[in-house]
Each structure stands twice: as C-alpha cells, then as structure tokens.
Amino acid sequence: LKFRVNAIGDVVRWVHPDSTKTNAIHAMCVVSLSTIFSALCYISVIRKIMEMNRVHKRERTHTRKWRQELAITIVGFSTFLSLCTATAYFSTSYWAVITDNIQKVLLDTMRGLNMIHYFSMAFVNPWMLLITNRSMR
C-alpha cells in the first residue's frame, strides 16, 4: 500500500494490482463456496418442510412447533439471501479487477457499495425475527 499524487494533485491510495487480484479471488471463492453449500442445505430444509406440510395438511394438525420451524427457516433463508448479495458483490468486484479497465470506474463504484452486504448480513436476522415472531411484534 502506497500513497501517490495523481495527475490532479490529489494524494490517492495505491495498491499493487496483484494484491488486489489475490484479495478479490480469495473473497469471491470463499463467499461463492459458502453460498453453494448454503443453497444445498436450504434445498434439503425446504424439501423437509414441504414434506412436513403435506403430513400436517392431511392430518389437519399444524402444531406450534411446526410454525416455529417455519419461522426459523424464513429467518435463515433471509440470511442466505444476504449471503447471495455478498456473492454478487464479490463476484462483480473480482470481474472489475480482472478486466482491469483503465479508468477503474466499476471497481471504484464497487468500493463505495461494500457496506451494503455487510449491513444486510448484520440487520437481516433481527428484522426477520421481529417479523416472524408474534410475541415480539
């Protein structure tokens, strides 16, 4: 990491392109693998819930436990959607670094948006718990 003076005379932060590429590749791989693993888990969970729903509809017994399981699954799935936004962010950042566009417009734009996926990860659980939990509403 170095600081350099650009053509306008402003001091800007400069990072070696190889470091940026390595960080982008690492972040994209970690988040992508996590998203794929989570997607497979949610496919399994949703199949199980659908199976339980069929049984409960047939027997006409929607228990409190079943409703709680459904609420927890909705909260977890919302977190998974936040993970998907992080995957989209890091994949786009990786693409911006690899294409190495001359003006670096996309990369600078992505740097400005990096808090979105962090906020969604941090706030989705409390909000979804508030929405799905009757006593908290």
Side-chain angles (χ1 to χ4, degrees), residues 31 34-36 38-39 77-91 117 120-121:
V31 173
S34 300
T35 303
I36 291 169
S38 294
F77 190 72
S78 301
T79 306
F80 169 70
L81 293 177
S82 296
L83 184 61
C84 290
T85 62
T87 302
Y89 171 81
F90 285 116
S91 298
H117 62 275
S120 67
M121 286 285 206

Side-chain angles (χ1 to χ4, degrees), residues 1 15 21 30 34 37 40 45 49 52 63-64 70 80 100 109 120:
L1 176 68
V15 178
K21 287 179 182 178
V30 168
S34 300
F37 178 74
L40 294 173
V45 167
I49 286 177
M52 287 173 57
T63 63
R64 180 183 173 127
L70 186 61
F80 169 70
D100 217 14
T109 303
S120 67

